């Protein structure tokens, strides 16, 4: 990971994205949800650090 | 009934039972009654079952005894994780919310296929809520408890499946494995478990979690029993988009084959760093018994685990979004907040993780070009205490719930077939993963059987739980 993830950035995203999704997160659950989202952000940053090329496509199972 | 026949004993394998029933040495009805009695006895201590289908099982056993049903699993009692559809029961998937769902109209195809081979369904097994779990804890139905020490976790999310087989309640159970949910409880409870290749067995009639990673498979106390059940469940299913439609490739006829010509290697790197001493010793014991002297690394394994985590959280969260909006208080708090966080993951993160999946698949395929089977521990440690929240791993204190699968997750991420084989020894059990190339389930099953013959892998019935009866 090149940059530390700012918990306040993740918290701000959580508030806005939850509102957009109409997902209520009561005050007493915010810290727990934020902990999980922080972990996801840290793991996503590990994935992000891998140099994919434009031609690396996801494997799909959809068969028309 | 004579209690003397080995087919009626708690440690009877599916093979023993099927042979005895086919030879009419015991009746299927006697076998089923013995299983039902063990289940009733163990339930207050182990909490493996959420439903017992006694009347259905008795009727099925009578049909077998009347000659109406035969097959390679004749009279073998089995139970399934409660995310499998069972006709007449709501499919709970470990939740309270799904208890309000209408009962399933028909059995899941894997249940149908096992019963067509003569097996007898005796009930539904407890699991972590919506399969988002490695512990076996469940706020609604109570934790499934480890038969080696009921104060300890079963592992999850197929906790009841591991408990029912390890505790000698049934010789065969089905579970699901998205990130390790067959292999983790197999390790902590000390059973054999098979996570087939992604796309091998149909998932129709089961409650989904992460469509890209969901697998179904069996638990048993021998590799041959796994093969027997697996063979009965193979076959295409056009109604599961993830089912690859492979022809049936029977494993049982070759499970006893000589494996000395196979090229087998131990996995190092992530799989050694994220494992405790006991887990590394188990993998080393398996490698030594198989003559595996090479150690190889999958350099991107930790990143694969990270990618699997992100995809799981996002897909699982999206699956449950509407329930999280409407019924948040009816979730298990341990799964609810993780799923809620998953709904908020940006699409760019999951798409990147999906694209990395294909890169990792290619890398591992290249690494396995001259290796037939890889060995790694299945869990970093033996069973933690039921309520334990954190553990030490690679010098850090980490959450138990998210990390029991740190060694299984990179492998299911790319769908390789794995047998979890419990390594014989004193103390609490721990298993190794025997990992094969895609579609080579028969090979990893044969390696597990070779470890059994060498006395290195074994799944004896755990009876320590009996000391808790009546307390």
């Amino acid at each position: 990971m090149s940059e530390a993830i700012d918990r306040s950035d993740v918290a701000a995203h959580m508030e806005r994205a939850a509102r957009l999704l109409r997902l209520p997160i009561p005050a007493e659950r915010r810290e727990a949800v934020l902990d999980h989202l922080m972990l996801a952000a840290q793991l996503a940053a590990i994935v992000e650090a891998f140099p994919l090329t434009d031609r690396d496509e996801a494997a799909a199972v959809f068969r028309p | 009934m004579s209690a003397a026949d080995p087919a009626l004993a708690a440690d009877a394998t599916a093979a023993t039972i099927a042979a005895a029933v086919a030879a009419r040495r015991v009746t299927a009805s006697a076998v089923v009654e013995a299983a039902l009695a063990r289940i009733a006895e163990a339930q207050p201590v182990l909490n493996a079952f959420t439903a017992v289908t006694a009347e259905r099982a008795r009727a099925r056993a009578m049909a077998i005894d009347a000659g109406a049903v035969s097959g390679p699993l004749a009279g073998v009692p089995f139970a399934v994780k409660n995310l499998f559809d069972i006709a007449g029961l709501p499919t709970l998937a470990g939740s309270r919310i799904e208890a309000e769902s209408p009962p399933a109209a028909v059995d899941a195809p894997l249940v149908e296929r096992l019963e067509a081979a003569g097996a007898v369904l005796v009930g539904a097994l407890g699991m972590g809520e919506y399969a988002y779990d490695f512990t076996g804890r469940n706020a609604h139905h109570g934790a499934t408890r480890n038969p080696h020490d009921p104060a300890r976790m079963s592992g999850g999310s197929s906790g009841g499946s591991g408990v029912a087989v390890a505790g000698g309640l049934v010789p065969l159970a089905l579970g699901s494995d998205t990130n390790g949910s067959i292999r983790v409880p197999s390790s902590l409870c000390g059973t054999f478990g098979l996570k087939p290749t992604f796309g091998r067995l149909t998932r129709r009639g089961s409650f989904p979690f992460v469509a890209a990673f969901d697998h179904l498979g069996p638990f048993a106390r021998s590799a041959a029993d796994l093969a027997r059940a697996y063979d009965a469940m193979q076959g295409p299913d056009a109604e599961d988009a993830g089912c690859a439609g492979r022809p049936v490739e029977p494993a049982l006829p070759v499970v006893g084959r000589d494996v000395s010509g196979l090229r087998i290697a131990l996995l190092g790197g992530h799989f050694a760093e994220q494992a405790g001493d006991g887990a590394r010793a188990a993998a080393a014991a398996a490698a030594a018994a198989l003559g595996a002297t090479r150690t190889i690394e999958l350099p991107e394994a930790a990143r694969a685990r990270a990618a699997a985590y992100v995809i799981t959280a996002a897909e699982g969260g999206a699956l449950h979004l509407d329930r999280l909006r409407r019924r948040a208080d009816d979730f298990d708090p341990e799964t609810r907040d993780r799923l809620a966080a998953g709904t908020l993951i940006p699409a760019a993160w999951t798409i990147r993780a999906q694209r990395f999946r294909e890169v990792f698949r290619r890398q591992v395929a290249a690494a396995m070009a001259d290796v037939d089977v890889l060995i790694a521990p299945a869990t970093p440690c033996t069973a933690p205490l039921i309520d334990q929240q954190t553990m030490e791993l690679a010098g850090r204190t980490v959450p138990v719930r998210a990390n029991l699968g740190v060694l299984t997750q990179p492998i299911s991420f790319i769908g390789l077939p794995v047998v979890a084989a419990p390594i014989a020894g004193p103390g609490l059990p721990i298993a190794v993963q025997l990992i094969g190339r895609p579609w080579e389930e028969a090979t990893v099953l044969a390696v597990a059987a070779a470890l059994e013959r060498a006395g290195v892998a074994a799944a004896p019935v755990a009876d320590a739980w009996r000391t808790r009866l009546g307390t």
Side-chain angles (χ1 to χ4, degrees):
Chain A
M1 261 178 292
S2 52
E3 294 172 41
I5 291 160
D6 187 326
R7 190 172 173 93
S8 64
D9 287 346
V10 178
H13 169 80
M14 179 180 81
E15 298 293 341
R16 295 302 174 113
R19 197 180 307 168
L20 183 63
L21 287 174
R22 292 175 287 108
L23 176 66
I25 303 178
E28 65 273 17
R29 288 178 44 212
R30 274 191 197 137
E31 284 305 303
V33 175
L34 183 54
D35 285 345
H36 291 299
L37 196 55
M38 277 294 293
L39 176 58
Q42 287 156 1
L43 295 172
I46 293 172
V47 178
E48 186 91 13
F50 186 85
L52 289 172
T53 73
D54 288 343
R55 299 187 184 204
D56 287 318
E57 292 185 354
V61 296
F62 177 72
R63 293 182 195 89
Chain B
M1 129 187 25
S2 162
D5 196 289
L8 299 177
D11 65 354
T13 61
T16 300
I17 292 168
V21 169
R24 301 201 167 265
R25 212 172 61 239
V26 297
T27 62
S29 295
V31 172
V32 164
E33 289 302 333
L36 292 173
R38 292 192 299 269
I39 292 164
E41 182 188 32
Q43 186 64 15
V45 178
L46 298 180
N47 194 35
F49 282 76
T50 53
V52 178
T53 54
E55 291 315 307
R56 167 184 170 147
R58 289 184 174 116
R60 188 74 181 173
M62 284 175 65
I64 293 167
D65 291 332
V69 186
S70 61
L73 292 168
V76 174
F78 76 104
V80 297
K81 185 176 187 175
N82 70 30
L83 56 62
F84 284 82
D85 286 351
I86 296 173
L89 294 181
T91 303
L92 297 178
S95 73
R96 174 192 294 167
I97 294 170
E98 305 309 323
E100 300 165 19
S101 302
V106 295
D107 294 334
L110 297 192
V111 173
E112 283 177 7
R113 289 176 186 182
L114 286 180
E115 288 212 320
V120 181
L121 181 73
V122 296
L125 297 162
M127 59 178 280
E129 188 180 56
Y130 291 122
Y132 203 0
D133 169 53
F134 286 131
T135 67
R137 287 199 291 258
N138 185 302
H140 314 303
H141 308 118
T144 50
R145 291 179 173 266
N146 196 305
H148 292 271
D149 177 355
R152 293 184 180 273
M153 291 178 182
S154 61
S157 64
S158 310
S161 309
V163 173
V165 172
L169 312 185
V170 288
L172 177 64
L174 298 185
S176 68
D177 188 317
T178 300
N179 284 293
S181 286
I182 288 174
R183 293 161 288 161
V184 170
S186 289
S187 184
L188 302 193
C189 291
T191 69
F192 290 87
L194 171 65
K195 184 203 77 61
T197 310
F198 180 80
R200 172 71 84 171
L201 298 181
T202 176
R203 305 167 302 180
R204 183 161 52 91
S206 66
F207 200 102
F209 178 19
V210 181
F213 302 153
D214 288 344
H215 307 68
L216 304 178
F219 291 70
R221 289 190 300 271
S222 77
D225 274 5
L226 284 184
R228 192 175 291 265
Y230 164 68
D231 286 356
M233 294 189 289
Q234 290 185 52
D237 183 353
E239 293 182 50
D240 172 5
C243 186
R246 300 275 297 191
V248 177
E249 296 170 297
L252 187 61
V254 293
V255 76
R257 79 175 175 98
D258 176 27
V259 299
S260 58
L262 292 175
R263 298 160 300 176
I264 301 175
L266 186 63
L267 275 177
H270 174 81
F271 298 92
E273 292 155 12
Q274 299 294 318
D277 292 345
R280 280 200 301 271
L290 294 165
T293 54
R294 273 179 73 187
T295 298
I296 71 166
E297 293 194 18
L298 304 176
E300 295 293 341
R303 203 185 316 271
R305 186 256 170 174
Y309 187 100
V310 171
I311 293 167
T312 297
E315 269 204 45
L319 178 66
H320 292 289
L321 175 58
D322 201 45
R323 279 179 283 271
L324 290 163
R325 287 178 179 136
R326 294 183 293 105
R327 305 285 302 268
D329 291 343
D330 293 325
F331 275 80
D332 186 328
E334 289 203 279
T335 49
R336 177 191 58 206
D337 295 338
R338 278 216 287 173
L339 288 168
T343 67
L344 309 175
I345 288 177
W349 294 358
T350 54
I351 291 169
R352 196 156 182 104
Q354 287 283 13
R355 290 169 61 206
F356 174 72
R357 185 186 190 201
E358 180 61 17
V359 171
F360 189 61
R361 183 196 68 75
R362 283 199 305 267
Q363 288 181 350
V364 177
M368 294 188 79
D370 63 350
V371 181
D372 300 305
V373 175
L374 298 169
I375 301 170
T379 48
C381 55
T382 57
L385 293 166
I386 290 249
D387 293 322
Q388 193 174 323
Q389 296 294 332
T390 60
M391 62 184 184
E392 297 298 312
L393 194 55
R396 293 168 48 224
T397 302
V398 297
V400 167
R401 196 177 182 93
N403 284 282
L404 275 173
V406 69
L407 304 174
T408 52
Q409 237 170 327
I411 307 302
S412 33
F413 181 54
I414 50 168
L416 301 180
V418 186
V419 170
I423 298 305
L428 292 167
I430 193 160
V432 298
Q433 299 182 83
L434 304 168
I435 303 158
R437 284 189 287 256
W439 316 115
E440 296 189 0
E441 287 89 341
T443 301
V444 285
L445 286 163
V447 172
L451 286 175
E452 274 183 282
R453 288 196 302 276
V456 172
V461 164
D463 54 13
W465 60 271
R466 290 180 173 278
T467 63
R468 299 293 185 94
L469 287 173
T471 60

